[in-house]
Amino acid sequence: MPADPARVIAAARGWLGTPYHDQASVKGAGCDCLGLARGVWREVVGPEPLPVPAYSRDWGEAGPFEVLADGAGRWMLMVPVAEAGPGALVLFRMRRGAIAKHIGILTGPAHGPATFLHSYEGLGVVEEPLTPAWARRIALAFLFPATSEAR
């Protein structure tokens, strides 16, 4: 069963203004895009199921393994991108042929201008329009489970 989207969005918005910090996940102190998702998980679902190993910042990274997608698929509920609405976690493929390396959380209304939250180097956690340039890069979408026992 998925978590309440309003609860996911409220938790994510609580991170607004958190500075960008690579591989961190501390509200108000610093996080990257994965750190934001991890923080929302802790607030909405509960303790993180596994420690996160170190990872590269390279958005153009290519390879045979979709590490973020595999991890999300193990603990979250996958949905078709076309059906992803507010509260969904989306993975962005920033370059053609690269693996999905950026994460955002959809916040915008189901009917109207779409918006999303993410942590971006130089900006920190921000909420901004899901422009066509961002939307076309969405590769996968997932819903947070209501509890860690959901999967």
Side-chain angles (χ1 to χ4, degrees), residues 27-68:
K27 187 191 290 188
C31 70
D32 60 9
C33 63
L34 178 58
L36 170 63
R38 291 173 53 211
V40 171
W41 176 282
R42 291 189 304 266
E43 290 181 44
V44 172
V45 182
E48 294 178 70
L50 297 171
V52 175
Y55 47 91
S56 95
R57 296 170 55 174
D58 180 9
W59 279 357
E61 183 179 345
F65 302 109
E66 291 277 0
V67 178
L68 281 176

mmCIF file of all heavy atoms in Angstrom, residues 27-68:
data_model
loop_
_atom_site.group_PDB
_atom_site.id
_atom_site.type_symbol
_atom_site.label_atom_id
_atom_site.label_comp_id
_atom_site.label_asym_id
_atom_site.label_seq_id
_atom_site.Cartn_x
_atom_site.Cartn_y
_atom_site.Cartn_z
ATOM 1 N N LYS A 27 18.583 17.032 7.393
ATOM 2 C CA LYS A 27 17.681 18.156 7.153
ATOM 3 C C LYS A 27 18.266 19.437 7.754
ATOM 4 O O LYS A 27 18.683 19.458 8.902
ATOM 5 C CB LYS A 27 16.310 17.879 7.764
ATOM 6 C CG LYS A 27 15.271 18.944 7.399
ATOM 7 C CD LYS A 27 13.998 18.847 8.194
ATOM 8 C CE LYS A 27 13.187 17.646 7.843
ATOM 9 N NZ LYS A 27 11.860 17.660 8.496
ATOM 10 N N GLY A 28 18.291 20.481 6.948
ATOM 11 C CA GLY A 28 18.783 21.774 7.394
ATOM 12 C C GLY A 28 20.288 21.927 7.302
ATOM 13 O O GLY A 28 20.794 23.040 7.228
ATOM 14 N N ALA A 29 21.024 20.829 7.304
ATOM 15 C CA ALA A 29 22.491 20.889 7.272
ATOM 16 C C ALA A 29 23.045 20.580 5.888
ATOM 17 O O ALA A 29 23.962 21.238 5.421
ATOM 18 C CB ALA A 29 23.094 19.930 8.290
ATOM 19 N N GLY A 30 22.498 19.567 5.203
ATOM 20 C CA GLY A 30 22.978 19.247 3.869
ATOM 21 C C GLY A 30 22.478 17.911 3.357
ATOM 22 O O GLY A 30 22.303 16.969 4.130
ATOM 23 N N CYS A 31 22.220 17.870 2.042
ATOM 24 C CA CYS A 31 21.836 16.616 1.389
ATOM 25 C C CYS A 31 22.026 16.757 -0.111
ATOM 26 O O CYS A 31 22.066 17.855 -0.645
ATOM 27 C CB CYS A 31 20.391 16.242 1.707
ATOM 28 S SG CYS A 31 19.142 17.295 0.942
ATOM 29 N N ASP A 32 22.137 15.618 -0.763
ATOM 30 C CA ASP A 32 22.072 15.575 -2.219
ATOM 31 C C ASP A 32 20.687 15.022 -2.566
ATOM 32 O O ASP A 32 19.837 14.877 -1.682
ATOM 33 C CB ASP A 32 23.228 14.757 -2.809
ATOM 34 C CG ASP A 32 23.271 13.307 -2.352
ATOM 35 O OD1 ASP A 32 22.317 12.830 -1.696
ATOM 36 O OD2 ASP A 32 24.270 12.638 -2.668
ATOM 37 N N CYS A 33 20.456 14.711 -3.832
ATOM 38 C CA CYS A 33 19.116 14.253 -4.219
ATOM 39 C C CYS A 33 18.744 12.930 -3.557
ATOM 40 O O CYS A 33 17.606 12.746 -3.117
ATOM 41 C CB CYS A 33 18.974 14.182 -5.734
ATOM 42 S SG CYS A 33 20.066 13.014 -6.566
ATOM 43 N N LEU A 34 19.696 12.017 -3.449
ATOM 44 C CA LEU A 34 19.414 10.749 -2.769
ATOM 45 C C LEU A 34 19.217 10.986 -1.277
ATOM 46 O O LEU A 34 18.348 10.374 -0.657
ATOM 47 C CB LEU A 34 20.532 9.739 -3.014
ATOM 48 C CG LEU A 34 20.380 8.382 -2.319
ATOM 49 C CD1 LEU A 34 19.082 7.687 -2.715
ATOM 50 C CD2 LEU A 34 21.577 7.495 -2.618
ATOM 51 N N GLY A 35 19.989 11.883 -0.713
ATOM 52 C CA GLY A 35 19.831 12.210 0.702
ATOM 53 C C GLY A 35 18.461 12.770 1.017
ATOM 54 O O GLY A 35 17.876 12.480 2.065
ATOM 55 N N LEU A 36 17.913 13.569 0.105
ATOM 56 C CA LEU A 36 16.547 14.081 0.274
ATOM 57 C C LEU A 36 15.561 12.919 0.288
ATOM 58 O O LEU A 36 14.713 12.823 1.180
ATOM 59 C CB LEU A 36 16.205 15.057 -0.857
ATOM 60 C CG LEU A 36 14.743 15.491 -0.946
ATOM 61 C CD1 LEU A 36 14.300 16.256 0.296
ATOM 62 C CD2 LEU A 36 14.519 16.321 -2.208
ATOM 63 N N ALA A 37 15.673 12.023 -0.677
ATOM 64 C CA ALA A 37 14.772 10.858 -0.735
ATOM 65 C C ALA A 37 14.914 9.993 0.510
ATOM 66 O O ALA A 37 13.918 9.506 1.050
ATOM 67 C CB ALA A 37 15.052 10.042 -1.997
ATOM 68 N N ARG A 38 16.139 9.819 0.983
ATOM 69 C CA ARG A 38 16.372 9.025 2.198
ATOM 70 C C ARG A 38 15.711 9.687 3.405
ATOM 71 O O ARG A 38 15.114 9.020 4.253
ATOM 72 C CB ARG A 38 17.873 8.861 2.436
ATOM 73 C CG ARG A 38 18.571 7.985 1.427
ATOM 74 C CD ARG A 38 20.084 7.982 1.576
ATOM 75 N NE ARG A 38 20.475 7.656 2.944
ATOM 76 C CZ ARG A 38 21.580 8.127 3.533
ATOM 77 N NH1 ARG A 38 22.401 8.948 2.880
ATOM 78 N NH2 ARG A 38 21.872 7.772 4.758
ATOM 79 N N GLY A 39 15.827 11.015 3.493
ATOM 80 C CA GLY A 39 15.217 11.736 4.608
ATOM 81 C C GLY A 39 13.700 11.637 4.586
ATOM 82 O O GLY A 39 13.058 11.448 5.623
ATOM 83 N N VAL A 40 13.122 11.746 3.400
ATOM 84 C CA VAL A 40 11.668 11.604 3.281
ATOM 85 C C VAL A 40 11.270 10.179 3.663
ATOM 86 O O VAL A 40 10.278 9.972 4.379
ATOM 87 C CB VAL A 40 11.189 11.982 1.863
ATOM 88 C CG1 VAL A 40 9.725 11.619 1.659
ATOM 89 C CG2 VAL A 40 11.434 13.470 1.605
ATOM 90 N N TRP A 41 12.029 9.191 3.225
ATOM 91 C CA TRP A 41 11.766 7.800 3.608
ATOM 92 C C TRP A 41 11.717 7.677 5.130
ATOM 93 O O TRP A 41 10.789 7.103 5.690
ATOM 94 C CB TRP A 41 12.835 6.874 3.036
ATOM 95 C CG TRP A 41 12.692 5.444 3.473
ATOM 96 C CD1 TRP A 41 13.051 4.911 4.690
ATOM 97 C CD2 TRP A 41 12.102 4.374 2.737
ATOM 98 N NE1 TRP A 41 12.746 3.575 4.733
ATOM 99 C CE2 TRP A 41 12.156 3.221 3.558
ATOM 100 C CE3 TRP A 41 11.545 4.278 1.473
ATOM 101 C CZ2 TRP A 41 11.671 1.988 3.135
ATOM 102 C CZ3 TRP A 41 11.065 3.052 1.056
ATOM 103 C CH2 TRP A 41 11.123 1.921 1.884
ATOM 104 N N ARG A 42 12.721 8.200 5.814
ATOM 105 C CA ARG A 42 12.779 8.074 7.276
ATOM 106 C C ARG A 42 11.571 8.722 7.934
ATOM 107 O O ARG A 42 11.029 8.197 8.903
ATOM 108 C CB ARG A 42 14.078 8.687 7.807
ATOM 109 C CG ARG A 42 15.317 7.901 7.434
ATOM 110 C CD ARG A 42 16.571 8.394 8.147
ATOM 111 N NE ARG A 42 16.854 9.796 7.939
ATOM 112 C CZ ARG A 42 17.665 10.287 7.007
ATOM 113 N NH1 ARG A 42 18.285 9.465 6.162
ATOM 114 N NH2 ARG A 42 17.877 11.589 6.923
ATOM 115 N N GLU A 43 11.125 9.855 7.408
ATOM 116 C CA GLU A 43 9.984 10.563 7.997
ATOM 117 C C GLU A 43 8.653 9.883 7.704
ATOM 118 O O GLU A 43 7.749 9.899 8.541
ATOM 119 C CB GLU A 43 9.942 11.998 7.492
ATOM 120 C CG GLU A 43 11.071 12.849 8.042
ATOM 121 C CD GLU A 43 11.007 14.279 7.548
ATOM 122 O OE1 GLU A 43 9.911 14.866 7.539
ATOM 123 O OE2 GLU A 43 12.074 14.809 7.172
ATOM 124 N N VAL A 44 8.527 9.298 6.522
ATOM 125 C CA VAL A 44 7.240 8.740 6.091
ATOM 126 C C VAL A 44 7.138 7.242 6.347
ATOM 127 O O VAL A 44 6.095 6.750 6.777
ATOM 128 C CB VAL A 44 7.005 9.053 4.592
ATOM 129 C CG1 VAL A 44 5.777 8.337 4.063
ATOM 130 C CG2 VAL A 44 6.897 10.559 4.380
ATOM 131 N N VAL A 45 8.212 6.525 6.097
ATOM 132 C CA VAL A 45 8.169 5.059 6.147
ATOM 133 C C VAL A 45 8.784 4.503 7.426
ATOM 134 O O VAL A 45 8.234 3.624 8.058
ATOM 135 C CB VAL A 45 8.879 4.447 4.913
ATOM 136 C CG1 VAL A 45 8.792 2.925 4.920
ATOM 137 C CG2 VAL A 45 8.297 5.012 3.616
ATOM 138 N N GLY A 46 9.951 5.016 7.808
ATOM 139 C CA GLY A 46 10.649 4.508 8.989
ATOM 140 C C GLY A 46 12.137 4.404 8.730
ATOM 141 O O GLY A 46 12.653 5.012 7.789
ATOM 142 N N PRO A 47 12.834 3.635 9.540
ATOM 143 C CA PRO A 47 14.289 3.509 9.376
ATOM 144 C C PRO A 47 14.656 3.006 7.982
ATOM 145 O O PRO A 47 13.927 2.227 7.368
ATOM 146 C CB PRO A 47 14.690 2.477 10.438
ATOM 147 C CG PRO A 47 13.570 2.500 11.430
ATOM 148 C CD PRO A 47 12.332 2.836 10.663
ATOM 149 N N GLU A 48 15.805 3.464 7.503
ATOM 150 C CA GLU A 48 16.283 3.011 6.198
ATOM 151 C C GLU A 48 16.589 1.523 6.269
ATOM 152 O O GLU A 48 17.159 1.050 7.249
ATOM 153 C CB GLU A 48 17.534 3.785 5.803
ATOM 154 C CG GLU A 48 17.246 5.254 5.565
ATOM 155 C CD GLU A 48 18.492 6.036 5.228
ATOM 156 O OE1 GLU A 48 19.032 5.825 4.125
ATOM 157 O OE2 GLU A 48 18.915 6.842 6.067
ATOM 158 N N PRO A 49 16.202 0.773 5.218
ATOM 159 C CA PRO A 49 16.381 -0.680 5.263
ATOM 160 C C PRO A 49 17.833 -1.139 5.182
ATOM 161 O O PRO A 49 18.163 -2.201 5.694
ATOM 162 C CB PRO A 49 15.574 -1.183 4.068
ATOM 163 C CG PRO A 49 15.428 -0.014 3.162
ATOM 164 C CD PRO A 49 15.493 1.211 4.024
ATOM 165 N N LEU A 50 18.686 -0.361 4.529
ATOM 166 C CA LEU A 50 20.095 -0.735 4.348
ATOM 167 C C LEU A 50 20.951 0.523 4.362
ATOM 168 O O LEU A 50 20.496 1.592 3.957
ATOM 169 C CB LEU A 50 20.304 -1.417 2.989
ATOM 170 C CG LEU A 50 19.597 -2.736 2.744
ATOM 171 C CD1 LEU A 50 19.737 -3.129 1.280
ATOM 172 C CD2 LEU A 50 20.187 -3.808 3.628
ATOM 173 N N PRO A 51 22.215 0.401 4.771
ATOM 174 C CA PRO A 51 23.116 1.550 4.616
ATOM 175 C C PRO A 51 23.396 1.788 3.134
ATOM 176 O O PRO A 51 23.403 0.852 2.335
ATOM 177 C CB PRO A 51 24.377 1.126 5.367
ATOM 178 C CG PRO A 51 24.287 -0.345 5.538
ATOM 179 C CD PRO A 51 22.845 -0.742 5.402
ATOM 180 N N VAL A 52 23.592 3.039 2.775
ATOM 181 C CA VAL A 52 23.858 3.386 1.382
ATOM 182 C C VAL A 52 25.371 3.456 1.179
ATOM 183 O O VAL A 52 26.045 4.218 1.863
ATOM 184 C CB VAL A 52 23.202 4.736 1.034
ATOM 185 C CG1 VAL A 52 23.565 5.176 -0.379
ATOM 186 C CG2 VAL A 52 21.686 4.642 1.190
ATOM 187 N N PRO A 53 25.895 2.679 0.236
ATOM 188 C CA PRO A 53 27.342 2.740 -0.027
ATOM 189 C C PRO A 53 27.704 4.042 -0.743
ATOM 190 O O PRO A 53 26.835 4.713 -1.306
ATOM 191 C CB PRO A 53 27.591 1.525 -0.921
ATOM 192 C CG PRO A 53 26.281 1.263 -1.575
ATOM 193 C CD PRO A 53 25.215 1.701 -0.596
ATOM 194 N N ALA A 54 28.973 4.393 -0.748
ATOM 195 C CA ALA A 54 29.440 5.569 -1.473
ATOM 196 C C ALA A 54 29.087 5.418 -2.956
ATOM 197 O O ALA A 54 29.025 4.307 -3.481
ATOM 198 C CB ALA A 54 30.940 5.728 -1.283
ATOM 199 N N TYR A 55 28.862 6.530 -3.619
ATOM 200 C CA TYR A 55 28.484 6.514 -5.028
ATOM 201 C C TYR A 55 29.105 7.713 -5.736
ATOM 202 O O TYR A 55 29.461 8.708 -5.111
ATOM 203 C CB TYR A 55 26.960 6.516 -5.194
ATOM 204 C CG TYR A 55 26.235 7.537 -4.341
ATOM 205 C CD1 TYR A 55 25.967 8.812 -4.813
ATOM 206 C CD2 TYR A 55 25.814 7.230 -3.050
ATOM 207 C CE1 TYR A 55 25.315 9.738 -4.029
ATOM 208 C CE2 TYR A 55 25.151 8.149 -2.260
ATOM 209 C CZ TYR A 55 24.906 9.410 -2.758
ATOM 210 O OH TYR A 55 24.251 10.340 -1.985
ATOM 211 N N SER A 56 29.195 7.624 -7.050
ATOM 212 C CA SER A 56 29.796 8.709 -7.836
ATOM 213 C C SER A 56 28.752 9.779 -8.138
ATOM 214 O O SER A 56 27.556 9.512 -8.184
ATOM 215 C CB SER A 56 30.390 8.161 -9.134
ATOM 216 O OG SER A 56 29.480 8.274 -10.189
ATOM 217 N N ARG A 57 29.229 10.988 -8.374
ATOM 218 C CA ARG A 57 28.359 12.120 -8.699
ATOM 219 C C ARG A 57 28.150 12.259 -10.197
ATOM 220 O O ARG A 57 27.442 13.161 -10.630
ATOM 221 C CB ARG A 57 28.985 13.402 -8.166
ATOM 222 C CG ARG A 57 29.093 13.417 -6.683
ATOM 223 C CD ARG A 57 29.922 14.581 -6.184
ATOM 224 N NE ARG A 57 29.426 15.862 -6.671
ATOM 225 C CZ ARG A 57 29.910 17.013 -6.278
ATOM 226 N NH1 ARG A 57 30.885 17.071 -5.414
ATOM 227 N NH2 ARG A 57 29.428 18.133 -6.756
ATOM 228 N N ASP A 58 28.734 11.417 -11.008
ATOM 229 C CA ASP A 58 28.745 11.560 -12.462
ATOM 230 C C ASP A 58 27.376 11.256 -13.069
ATOM 231 O O ASP A 58 26.973 10.104 -13.168
ATOM 232 C CB ASP A 58 29.811 10.628 -13.044
ATOM 233 C CG ASP A 58 29.909 10.712 -14.553
ATOM 234 O OD1 ASP A 58 29.277 11.609 -15.156
ATOM 235 O OD2 ASP A 58 30.623 9.880 -15.128
ATOM 236 N N TRP A 59 26.665 12.297 -13.508
ATOM 237 C CA TRP A 59 25.355 12.116 -14.135
ATOM 238 C C TRP A 59 25.456 11.438 -15.493
ATOM 239 O O TRP A 59 24.484 10.906 -15.989
ATOM 240 C CB TRP A 59 24.656 13.456 -14.304
ATOM 241 C CG TRP A 59 23.985 13.952 -13.074
ATOM 242 C CD1 TRP A 59 23.895 13.323 -11.870
ATOM 243 C CD2 TRP A 59 23.298 15.185 -12.936
ATOM 244 N NE1 TRP A 59 23.196 14.097 -10.981
ATOM 245 C CE2 TRP A 59 22.818 15.246 -11.613
ATOM 246 C CE3 TRP A 59 23.047 16.239 -13.779
ATOM 247 C CZ2 TRP A 59 22.093 16.320 -11.129
ATOM 248 C CZ3 TRP A 59 22.321 17.311 -13.296
ATOM 249 C CH2 TRP A 59 21.854 17.352 -11.990
ATOM 250 N N GLY A 60 26.629 11.446 -16.095
ATOM 251 C CA GLY A 60 26.803 10.816 -17.394
ATOM 252 C C GLY A 60 27.293 9.381 -17.296
ATOM 253 O O GLY A 60 27.620 8.770 -18.301
ATOM 254 N N GLU A 61 27.327 8.867 -16.076
ATOM 255 C CA GLU A 61 27.837 7.512 -15.865
ATOM 256 C C GLU A 61 27.029 6.497 -16.678
ATOM 257 O O GLU A 61 25.804 6.491 -16.640
ATOM 258 C CB GLU A 61 27.765 7.172 -14.373
ATOM 259 C CG GLU A 61 28.319 5.828 -14.011
ATOM 260 C CD GLU A 61 28.249 5.566 -12.505
ATOM 261 O OE1 GLU A 61 28.046 6.503 -11.726
ATOM 262 O OE2 GLU A 61 28.390 4.398 -12.134
ATOM 263 N N ALA A 62 27.728 5.659 -17.396
ATOM 264 C CA ALA A 62 27.093 4.591 -18.168
ATOM 265 C C ALA A 62 27.488 3.267 -17.527
ATOM 266 O O ALA A 62 28.445 3.194 -16.768
ATOM 267 C CB ALA A 62 27.548 4.633 -19.615
ATOM 268 N N GLY A 63 26.738 2.260 -17.803
ATOM 269 C CA GLY A 63 27.074 0.949 -17.267
ATOM 270 C C GLY A 63 25.883 0.024 -17.333
ATOM 271 O O GLY A 63 24.772 0.441 -17.659
ATOM 272 N N PRO A 64 26.108 -1.216 -17.010
ATOM 273 C CA PRO A 64 25.041 -2.209 -17.130
ATOM 274 C C PRO A 64 24.078 -2.238 -15.941
ATOM 275 O O PRO A 64 23.042 -2.882 -16.018
ATOM 276 C CB PRO A 64 25.817 -3.528 -17.221
ATOM 277 C CG PRO A 64 27.055 -3.272 -16.416
ATOM 278 C CD PRO A 64 27.394 -1.817 -16.652
ATOM 279 N N PHE A 65 24.402 -1.533 -14.858
ATOM 280 C CA PHE A 65 23.571 -1.634 -13.660
ATOM 281 C C PHE A 65 22.901 -0.311 -13.322
ATOM 282 O O PHE A 65 23.554 0.712 -13.196
ATOM 283 C CB PHE A 65 24.401 -2.100 -12.461
ATOM 284 C CG PHE A 65 25.074 -3.413 -12.686
ATOM 285 C CD1 PHE A 65 26.441 -3.482 -12.856
ATOM 286 C CD2 PHE A 65 24.337 -4.592 -12.756
ATOM 287 C CE1 PHE A 65 27.077 -4.693 -13.080
ATOM 288 C CE2 PHE A 65 24.953 -5.801 -12.989
ATOM 289 C CZ PHE A 65 26.329 -5.852 -13.155
ATOM 290 N N GLU A 66 21.596 -0.354 -13.162
ATOM 291 C CA GLU A 66 20.801 0.803 -12.731
ATOM 292 C C GLU A 66 20.678 0.708 -11.209
ATOM 293 O O GLU A 66 19.674 0.234 -10.678
ATOM 294 C CB GLU A 66 19.421 0.785 -13.388
ATOM 295 C CG GLU A 66 19.447 1.053 -14.868
ATOM 296 C CD GLU A 66 19.489 2.540 -15.201
ATOM 297 O OE1 GLU A 66 19.502 3.378 -14.279
ATOM 298 O OE2 GLU A 66 19.510 2.850 -16.393
ATOM 299 N N VAL A 67 21.708 1.139 -10.514
ATOM 300 C CA VAL A 67 21.776 0.959 -9.060
ATOM 301 C C VAL A 67 20.609 1.640 -8.351
ATOM 302 O O VAL A 67 19.962 1.040 -7.490
ATOM 303 C CB VAL A 67 23.134 1.454 -8.514
ATOM 304 C CG1 VAL A 67 23.195 1.326 -7.007
ATOM 305 C CG2 VAL A 67 24.264 0.684 -9.162
ATOM 306 N N LEU A 68 20.323 2.902 -8.680
ATOM 307 C CA LEU A 68 19.206 3.605 -8.027
ATOM 308 C C LEU A 68 17.876 2.916 -8.334
ATOM 309 O O LEU A 68 17.049 2.726 -7.447
ATOM 310 C CB LEU A 68 19.142 5.060 -8.478
ATOM 311 C CG LEU A 68 20.118 6.021 -7.839
ATOM 312 C CD1 LEU A 68 19.982 7.408 -8.461
ATOM 313 C CD2 LEU A 68 19.901 6.104 -6.341
#
